[in-house]
Amino acid sequence: MNFNLSDDIQFLKENVRDFVQTEVEAVAHRIEKENQIPERIIEMSKDMGLFGLSIPKQYGWLGIGMIGKCALYEEVGATHNGYTTLIGAHTGIGSVGIVELGTSEQKEKYLPDLASGKKIGAFALTEPSAGSNASNLKTTAVKKGNHYVLNGTKHYITNATEADIFTVMAVTNPHKGAKGITSFIVEKDFPGFHVGAVERKMGLRGSHSAEIILEDCEVPVENVLGEEGQGYVNALKILANGRAGLAARNLGSCQKLLDLSMQYAQEREQFQVPIIEHQAVGHMISEMAVEIEALRSFTYRVACMVDEGKRVIKEAAMLKLYGSEVYNRVADKAVQIHGGMGYISDYPIERFYRDARITRIYEGTSGIQKNIITGQLKKEYS
Amino acid sequence: MNIYVLMKRTFDTEEKIVIEDGRIDEEGAEFIINPYDEYAIEEAIQLRDEHGGEITVVTIGGEDAEKQLRTALAMGADKSVLINVEDDVEESDQFTTVKILEAFFEDKEYDMILAGNVAIDQASGQIGPRLAESLDIPCVTTITNLEVDGDKAKIERDVEGDVEKIEVSTPVLVTCQQGLNEPRYPSLPGIMKAKKKPLEELELDDLDLDEDDVEPKTKTIDVFLPPEKEAGKILEGEIDDQVNELVGLLRNEAKVI
């Protein structure tokens, strides 16, 4: 297993870093204040190709594998997490369903626009009664001629207000439980599709989570994604695929926090010396660095396995769990090192601290990841 | 339209610069495309997209400059040339650079040569005008707007806070100033495509030059950093005394009154 990034990937990574650290960082405070990512930044990100990270080479995009994708996600993570989430949800769970499960017609139709960012993608699984228990969906899909008619409400849908193309899970056979769920590609312009209330959140400002209301929403049969009845399995696959990417973005945020903490601890003086000279601070920084290095190795190991075509259900769950837990511990230490300044909104640390919290909840809570890991271990040891 | 861009790889002046043995220590320095040359590359891309043609980016330097050429190709240039002088030229100045470029352009056909107004490292601002003189073509410096119509170019240039409008025939050499455009970031697909674009490498021999032909006409005597800013002085006591002391300091120490 070789974790060294190729020259090409390294060059791509440097260019993404340059863009993110120059342009996105410059508006991070504004995003926080206005709860909106400036249109200019979104357009520049599209021009750069950041919306096409998941799209395969045959559809004209990068084809850089999971290692390449993680390398770039690291850079996308090293800034305002609202921006990170817009890109992450679009290129992750918002696109990979069609990439992994789509027919060639569906790919031809949707992938070029998803790649260029002309259309934004989102993933709609969660419902008021179906969160961690993803199989308890109430949204129904009834086949009528050439259409399925969808009815129900989804909530906490990331990118809902921006997205054009949704991967939606709905029940096609209520008697079959998890095996009665089917996934659909739903366009926002389909009749009966509405975006509902936008949630106010603790963090991730600039990234909007909203309700989706499906009211006799007509979806053509050719928009069934994968096979009928495979929706639950599909959803788990899409989520599993996204996990390495999510860890890479968390890794980027952690690295940024370490960079900021190192800079601060070397400049800030207390008792006539820079605070890094105080063992209590120095040790916190070294603990951050160790965990970040471990997360980096773990991320690229799983990415490597994905690129080798290996099954990574257990490893991806472990990585998602570890990445989000490390991010929270690192953010906590960064606040402590920065002291009062770490609590002040003019400085980015408290923002990362709030934004870190969701990573233990979305795309499968820490608890759910542990369930998956235990389940896989039980299979291995049976 | 045949467009050439002169590009220089420079160290990033926003990063920390260390001087050792009278030279800038390249070990710790970050290297970038000279920012004014980025305006030139962007303008070339816009011209090419509007009028068709081909952009060749030329640089003089060592192997390390390949990275900046690749970046220019990723932004959208079509071809690049590295005139590698690593083994042949130890000392150089503006004469050296112009002499090499003059030889390079001898057998080339060009409608437009774009360069940065100045390089942020040595800041001589001489290469563009001196090369134009050598090639016997018109030169317009510090341009902020450029429109090409057939064999004419309408140019606006920055002159001490005012704008001068010039009409000039092509071929012409222009040097680009801030405000001309907003250079794009190289796109990720552009970076991948740039790998397949031509990067030609030439040496002095290929241009029928030898070391003596390009020997610099100037000598660098010393290289030093600006003095570090000293801490400010806070005056104390009665206001009248402070004013007297301040006037005394301005007269005797700062010598400004």
Side-chain angles (χ1 to χ4, degrees):
Chain A
M1 237 176 236
N2 180 3
F3 295 173
N4 290 334
L5 300 177
S6 68
D7 288 349
D8 287 345
I9 302 289
Q10 195 61 43
F11 194 34
L12 291 168
K13 192 172 191 285
E14 283 170 22
N15 276 279
V16 175
R17 180 186 308 155
D18 187 25
F19 168 72
V20 168
Q21 294 305 320
T22 311
E23 303 292 342
V24 187
E25 276 295 284
V27 296
H29 199 63
R30 193 172 136 201
I31 296 173
E32 197 60 20
K33 204 169 143 199
E34 296 173 4
N35 193 20
Q36 194 68 44
I37 300 163
E39 198 53 38
R40 176 175 169 270
I41 294 295
I42 296 176
E43 288 308 313
M44 285 174 96
S45 306
K46 287 177 184 175
D47 288 344
M48 256 198 106
L50 283 168
F51 282 72
L53 291 186
S54 295
I55 310 301
K57 219 173 177 178
Q58 62 263 42
Y59 295 95
W61 231 250
L62 296 177
I64 49 172
M66 199 55 176
I67 290 189
K69 210 164 126 176
C70 284
L72 304 192
Y73 273 151
E74 255 194 82
E75 300 304 333
V76 172
T79 187
H80 195 294
N81 281 188
Y83 173 80
T84 309
T85 305
L86 170 74
I87 304 280
H90 168 84
T91 56
I93 54 178
S95 300
V96 295
I98 302 177
V99 173
E100 297 288 326
L101 308 161
T103 61
S104 47
E105 289 80 15
Q106 288 168 342
K107 288 180 182 175
E108 291 287 344
K109 186 173 177 191
Y110 293 110
L111 293 188
D113 282 352
L114 286 170
S116 65
K118 193 174 161 198
K119 300 243 164 99
I120 305 289
F123 178 78
L125 170 67
T126 305
E127 295 182 5
S129 63
S132 288
N133 181 4
S135 63
N136 192 34
L137 295 182
K138 298 289 178 246
T139 297
T140 57
V142 179
K143 196 173 176 185
K144 279 188 183 163
N146 291 332
H147 285 85
Y148 281 85
V149 177
L150 272 61
N151 276 291
T153 302
K154 300 283 177 184
H155 76 171
Y156 304 159
I157 306 305
T158 307
N159 285 357
T161 50
E162 288 81 14
D164 305 276
I165 299 163
F166 294 77
T167 303
V168 176
M169 311 297 154
V171 177
T172 41
N173 187 338
H175 308 296
K176 284 190 165 173
K179 286 183 180 159
I181 296 170
T182 301
S183 33
F184 297 89
I185 305 169
V186 180
E187 296 179 29
K188 70 164 184 195
D189 296 327
F190 284 173
F193 181 94
H194 310 283
V195 176
V198 180
E199 306 292 346
R200 293 178 62 218
K201 304 191 296 284
M202 181 200 276
L204 288 195
R205 289 178 62 81
S207 162
H208 305 123
S209 309
E211 249 182 359
I212 284 169
I213 301 146
L214 301 156
E215 218 171 23
D216 292 329
C217 177
E218 290 180 18
V219 180
V221 285
E222 61 265 24
N223 276 31
V224 168
L225 183 61
E227 285 171 35
E228 191 175 307
Q230 289 292 306
Y232 182 66
V233 179
N234 293 346
L236 296 188
K237 259 190 210 159
I238 294 167
L239 287 167
N241 184 305
R243 278 176 191 139
L246 182 58
R249 297 193 291 277
N250 290 345
L251 172 61
S253 299
C254 288
Q255 184 62 51
K256 178 79 182 174
L257 286 167
L258 178 63
D259 294 347
L260 290 168
S261 299
M262 274 304 290
Q263 192 188 344
Y264 184 74
Q266 291 181 98
E267 281 170 13
R268 165 81 170 163
E269 289 189 5
Q270 286 291 278
F271 305 101
Q272 290 81 48
V273 289
I275 58 170
I276 196 166
E277 301 302 333
H278 300 299
Q279 199 178 47
V281 174
H283 281 192
M284 274 195 282
I285 284 183
S286 66
E287 283 158 14
M288 285 164 84
V290 170
E291 289 214 289
I292 291 168
E293 214 40 57
L295 176 58
R296 180 168 285 119
S297 301
F298 196 1
T299 303
Y300 286 103
R301 182 180 129 76
V302 175
C304 207
M305 289 173 78
V306 171
D307 284 343
E308 285 169 357
K310 291 192 176 132
R311 198 167 171 269
V312 293
I313 298 199
K314 182 185 75 181
E315 287 78 6
M318 287 174 158
L319 179 59
K320 198 272 174 184
L321 170 70
Y322 187 65
S324 50
E325 299 284 339
V326 165
Y327 183 13
N328 276 260
R329 288 197 287 270
V330 164
D332 186 75
K333 289 194 174 91
V335 172
Q336 201 64 25
I337 291 162
H338 282 77
M341 199 181 259
Y343 202 69
I344 304 275
S345 300
D346 286 339
Y347 210 66
I349 306 298
E350 68 86 32
R351 189 187 79 221
F352 279 104
Y353 182 78
R354 282 182 288 111
D355 289 349
R357 192 62 185 83
I358 189 63
T359 65
R360 285 160 60 195
I361 299 167
Y362 68 9
E363 298 197 25
T365 63
S366 288
I368 285 293
Q369 305 309 326
K370 288 176 189 169
N371 288 355
I372 295 170
I373 297 161
T374 317
Q376 293 295 313
L377 285 170
K378 273 160 65 187
K379 277 186 200 165
E380 283 174 25
Y381 281 81
S382 66
Chain B
M1 201 191 230
N2 243 341
I3 308 167
Y4 282 84
V5 179
L6 312 180
M7 186 197 82
K8 186 176 190 183
R9 168 184 182 265
T10 66
F11 48 82
D12 190 346
T13 49
E14 286 180 18
E15 300 287 330
K16 197 177 172 202
I17 290 169
V18 179
I19 294 179
E20 247 187 53
D21 302 330
R23 278 175 185 271
I24 288 166
D25 181 17
E26 299 208 347
E27 277 295 299
E30 291 280 331
F31 286 89
I32 54 172
I33 295 177
N34 173 42
Y36 291 94
D37 301 348
E38 283 188 344
Y39 299 124
I41 296 165
E42 177 61 38
E43 198 62 19
I45 295 168
Q46 291 184 17
L47 278 178
R48 192 260 332 263
D49 290 351
E50 195 185 334
H51 301 281
E54 196 175 64
I55 304 165
T56 309
V57 179
V58 188
T59 198
I60 301 173
E63 290 285 336
D64 293 340
E66 257 187 42
K67 190 171 174 183
Q68 282 67 34
L69 285 176
R70 289 270 172 229
T71 303
L73 292 171
M75 285 172 78
D78 302 291
K79 288 157 68 178
S80 63
V81 178
L82 167 62
I83 304 173
N84 193 336
V85 294
E86 219 161 14
D87 300 331
D88 300 327
V89 176
E90 263 187 36
E91 299 290 337
S92 71
D93 67 358
Q94 292 76 20
F95 170 79
T96 313
T97 304
V98 172
K99 193 79 191 165
I100 294 170
L101 288 172
E102 186 190 353
F104 171 78
F105 278 106
E106 201 182 290
D107 60 350
K108 303 285 183 294
E109 282 186 22
Y110 41 84
D111 302 297
M112 180 76 66
I113 302 174
L114 298 111
N117 166 44
V118 73
I120 57 166
D121 50 4
Q122 289 174 327
S124 79
Q126 292 182 24
I127 305 302
R130 284 175 73 163
L131 179 63
E133 189 66 27
S134 302
L135 300 176
D136 198 20
I137 58 170
C139 172
V140 185
T141 56
T142 58
I143 72 161
T144 52
N145 195 40
L146 173 62
E147 280 171 40
V148 176
D149 186 7
D151 58 359
K152 293 253 180 306
K154 284 182 184 169
I155 298 173
E156 290 178 11
R157 65 184 294 263
D158 210 5
V159 273
E160 301 286 328
D162 220 330
V163 178
E164 188 175 35
K165 292 184 179 179
I166 292 172
E167 203 176 288
V168 70
S169 61
T170 58
V172 59
L173 187 150
V174 296
T175 72
C176 303
Q177 169 72 316
Q178 196 168 6
L180 177 62
N181 54 46
E182 192 184 348
R184 69 194 64 195
Y185 284 87
S187 78
L188 304 179
I191 291 170
M192 299 304 266
K193 281 182 202 141
K195 285 193 298 180
K196 295 193 185 109
K197 291 184 180 175
L199 196 157
E200 187 187 358
E201 200 172 320
L202 299 173
E203 291 189 9
L204 286 191
D205 265 358
D206 302 311
L207 300 171
D208 290 331
L209 291 171
D210 61 42
E211 289 155 59
D212 296 340
D213 297 329
V214 299
E215 201 176 320
K217 301 283 188 198
T218 57
K219 198 173 168 194
T220 302
I221 295 168
D222 198 4
V223 175
F224 53 90
L225 292 171
E228 270 195 46
K229 249 190 185 169
E230 285 175 30
K233 206 175 257 180
I234 296 172
L235 306 180
E236 282 169 8
E238 295 295 322
I239 289 292
D240 286 356
D241 296 340
Q242 285 193 42
V243 171
N244 279 334
E245 199 185 342
L246 178 63
V247 171
L249 285 170
L250 289 173
R251 182 168 292 145
N252 303 322
E253 205 169 281
K255 297 191 169 72
V256 289
I257 53 172

